[in-house]
């Protein structure tokens, strides 16, 4: 794992974590979020008996687990006044918003612009507390440059229901795009790797 190491832990794999995926085990053992555990693993910060592991690798009982990670500055929700964020529907469980382009769904490292959660906080909305602190209530996202409707959970029941619906692919999503000129060819499939890009320090962003 490149960059400055500020924390290091070395211990045998506990009986209760034998057979667990490395990312799930790391989350349980050190209290990381699952996504941060995957970042640490992807950066090469986890080794089992001296061998760097992947996130899906299973831990073996008694093997020496070594974990190195850097301190992470957690993004926080900053309330903002954003009148261009439209409220389409609102009840005790959900608020459906019309997100304009240029607004991120939630805070993230490196993003300094407005966020949906910040705008809702600034408008006095209380959102579900489920999920990582910087994206509580958020189950699905739109890219910062994409406008459209988002459903944000206000209650824990709604958060669980939304998460299940998206997991089970029960949600129908329709995207519209504006194209300038004439596409050539008129139909086809775009394939390419999609993932978070490592920065020069080896961390993911």
């Amino acid at each position: 794992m490149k960059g400055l190491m500020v924390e290091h832990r070395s211990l045998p794999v506990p009986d209760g974590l034998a057979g667990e995926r490395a990312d799930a085990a790391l989350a349980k053992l050190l209290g990381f979020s699952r996504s941060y555990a995957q970042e640490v693993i992807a950066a090469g910060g986890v080794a089992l008996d001296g061998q760097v592991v992947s996130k899906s690798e299973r831990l073996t009982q008694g093997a020496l687990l070594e974990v190195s990670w850097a301190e992470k500055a957690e993004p926080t929700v900053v309330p903002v006044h954003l009148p261009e964020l439209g409220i389409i529907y609102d009840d005790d469980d959900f608020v459906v918003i019309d997100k304009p382009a240029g607004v991120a769904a939630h805070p993230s490292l490196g993003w300094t612009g407005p966020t949906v959660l910040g705008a809702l906080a600034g408008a006095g909305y209380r959102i579900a507390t489920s999920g990582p602190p910087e994206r509580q209530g958020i189950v699905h996202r739109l890219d910062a440059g994409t406008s459209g409707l988002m459903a944000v959970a206000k209650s824990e029941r709604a958060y669980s229901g939304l998460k299940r619906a998206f997991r089970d692919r029960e949600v129908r999503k329709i995207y519209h795009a504006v194209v300038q000129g004439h596409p050539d060819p008129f139909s086809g499939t775009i394939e390419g790797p999609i993932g978070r890009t490592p920065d020069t320090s080896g961390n993911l962003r």
Side-chain angles (χ1 to χ4, degrees), residues 4-203:
L4 178 64
M5 300 301 136
V6 296
E7 295 285 349
H8 183 81
R9 195 73 58 85
S10 180
L11 71 166
V13 174
D15 295 351
L17 294 181
E20 286 266 13
R21 281 174 50 117
D23 56 353
L26 202 62
K28 292 177 182 177
L29 192 63
L30 298 176
F32 293 163
S33 68
R34 187 78 169 261
S35 60
Y36 184 56
Q38 291 174 355
E39 288 185 23
V40 172
I41 293 169
V46 181
L48 198 64
D49 282 340
Q51 299 296 315
V52 174
V53 303
S54 66
K55 66 181 181 181
S56 59
E57 190 163 338
R58 304 284 174 173
L59 302 190
T60 52
Q61 181 179 340
L64 182 63
L65 179 67
E66 296 179 271
V67 185
S68 298
W69 71 98
E71 289 183 348
K72 181 181 178 182
E74 295 292 343
T76 57
V77 175
V78 178
V80 295
H81 178 58
L82 196 66
E84 56 267 39
L85 185 104
I87 304 298
I88 304 301
Y89 177 80
D90 180 29
D91 65 17
D92 291 340
D93 292 312
F94 302 98
V95 57
V96 178
I97 59 97
D98 185 4
K99 187 188 85 65
V103 179
H106 58 75
S108 61
L109 294 176
W111 176 257
T112 57
T115 66
V116 168
L117 289 183
L120 289 174
Y125 284 87
R126 299 189 64 168
I127 303 304
T129 58
S130 298
E134 75 279 7
R135 57 177 186 267
Q136 290 177 342
I138 297 288
V139 172
H140 71 109
R141 294 171 288 182
L142 292 175
D143 289 341
T146 302
S147 61
L149 301 184
M150 282 182 58
V152 181
K154 294 172 65 177
S155 69
E156 310 312 311
R157 177 181 64 178
Y159 182 88
S160 298
L162 269 180
K163 193 171 183 180
R164 179 195 54 76
F166 275 91
R167 181 197 64 205
D168 296 343
R169 300 184 181 277
E170 296 174 354
V171 178
R172 185 182 179 211
K173 294 175 285 185
I174 299 174
Y175 294 89
H176 297 276
V178 177
V179 179
Q180 182 176 6
H182 299 282
D184 182 18
F186 281 101
S187 64
T189 301
I190 299 174
E191 295 182 352
I194 298 175
R196 301 182 68 185
T197 303
D199 62 24
T200 55
S201 68
N203 297 317

